[in-house]
Amino acid sequence: MKINTIQVLIASTLALGTVALTQDVKAADQTTSIYRLYNKNTGEHFYTKSRTEQLNAIVAGWDDEGTGWVAPLSSNSPVYRVYNPNANGGDHYYTKSKYEAQSLVNRGWKWDYNGQPVFYSGGNSSVYVAYNPNAQSGSHNYTMNSFEQNSLLNNGWKYGATAWNAVTKFNWTLNQYKSLVVGDSNGNGGTNYNSVLSSHDIPTDITSFSTDGYATKTVIYDNTKWDYSDGNYKSVVLTFIKQANGSYLLGYKNYINL
């Protein structure tokens, strides 16, 4: 996670002395798109958070299938990718188990990403895996689409299960937005931050601000990490104010195109 810290010190000399205000702003991008590509010659799907890998694959003839899902930028549940150079056309396999990945490497598979996580699991939505025992390349398919998953299982694919988790798609409605209660200037009476997370998952972005005992957290939910072919940008911006008990209550809200 990239965190940028900006500290601004404003000092003014008054008759009673010097008053100093320190502003600490931390901006963090919380999520990343996982791109999905398809090789029509081998039947394999390829998944990556890297725009460079995505574009290189497109140049090499892979079909771009857009965003497969959105993942947290980091979590305690990494996903690893290994490559089988001996399979017809090559084959990639994804797993949360580093032990399983290393076992495949010991049998002749190769590490991708130098053994580092290619992306992370996290969120409230399932990414399903299905296995084709008759395929050498593209034997595993990963999707959030339950219709796609069930179609594969109905056509002989095996092992219908959740491989890992993803961040829920932008799912705000205008009524949900209107139901949020904005508290007073200190947030008193406002909707709790945790209740928003439980309904709408990890925000796209979070910015925290604190100064002299006053702290806020501004979150943005938008659809920029997902395909929005109609060009209709949607977002919800919420600012929560920290309370004495450590909770955050809503003090401001705004939206676009709900």
Side-chain angles (χ1 to χ4, degrees):
M1 182 183 300
K2 294 187 297 184
I3 298 180
N4 300 317
T5 302
I6 304 171
Q7 289 193 322
V8 181
L9 181 63
I10 303 173
S12 58
T13 303
L14 303 177
L16 296 177
T18 300
V19 176
L21 173 67
T22 300
Q23 175 179 305
D24 186 30
V25 181
K26 295 181 179 178
D29 190 359
Q30 300 292 300
T31 59
T32 184
S33 298
I34 304 300
Y35 305 108
R36 173 170 151 149
L37 301 106
Y38 177 67
N39 188 332
K40 54 184 174 292
N41 297 314
T42 65
E44 182 188 6
H45 281 94
F46 183 73
Y47 311 87
T48 179
K49 68 179 180 181
S50 167
R51 284 283 288 167
T52 299
E53 278 195 325
Q54 180 203 31
L55 295 175
N56 286 342
I58 292 171
V59 170
W62 291 65
D63 293 335
D64 181 16
E65 294 189 344
T67 299
W69 62 88
V70 171
L73 202 59
S74 65
S75 76
N76 59 2
S77 185
V79 177
Y80 303 95
R81 188 176 71 205
V82 290
Y83 173 72
N84 185 357
N86 300 313
N88 183 24
D91 190 29
H92 296 85
Y93 179 66
Y94 304 76
T95 177
K96 291 196 298 180
S97 170
K98 195 165 190 177
Y99 175 82
E100 181 184 23
Q102 184 62 61
S103 297
L104 290 172
V105 170
N106 293 342
R107 291 161 50 190
W109 290 61
K110 305 295 183 183
W111 280 109
D112 264 359
Y113 254 57
N114 296 316
Q116 299 302 307
V118 288
F119 47 79
Y120 291 85
S121 171
N124 295 336
S125 296
S126 294
V127 177
Y128 305 107
V129 58
Y131 169 67
N132 184 349
N134 301 313
Q136 261 205 324
S137 180
S139 58
H140 291 82
N141 187 77
Y142 305 90
T143 181
M144 284 184 66
N145 189 316
S146 58
F147 177 81
E148 178 185 0
Q149 174 76 349
N150 290 331
S151 295
L152 292 174
L153 297 178
N154 290 335
N155 281 279
W157 290 61
K158 309 295 183 183
Y159 191 60
T162 296
W164 49 76
N165 291 93
V167 178
T168 304
K169 289 187 176 183
F170 182 87
N171 62 351
W172 283 89
T173 66
L174 186 57
N175 285 337
Q176 288 173 328
Y177 172 83
K178 288 181 176 179
S179 71
L180 298 176
V181 177
V182 176
D184 62 18
S185 59
N186 292 314
N188 295 318
T191 299
N192 189 285
Y193 172 69
N194 288 331
S195 69
V196 173
L197 286 187
S198 66
S199 299
H200 298 282
D201 214 343
I202 303 171
T204 309
D205 295 280
I206 299 177
T207 299
S208 296
F209 170 91
S210 63
T211 178
D212 196 24
Y214 180 81
T216 64
K217 185 177 296 186
T218 298
V219 303
I220 300 175
Y221 289 90
D222 65 28
N223 62 342
T224 55
K225 299 293 175 69
W226 299 96
D227 287 334
Y228 53 110
S229 56
D230 61 357
N232 186 20
Y233 175 74
K234 299 178 181 179
S235 72
V236 171
V237 180
L238 308 171
T239 296
F240 298 86
I241 302 171
K242 189 174 184 179
Q243 306 299 298
N245 63 3
S247 65
Y248 282 82
L249 301 181
L250 186 63
Y252 168 84
K253 66 178 182 178
N254 196 10
Y255 76 93
I256 297 175
N257 290 333
L258 291 185

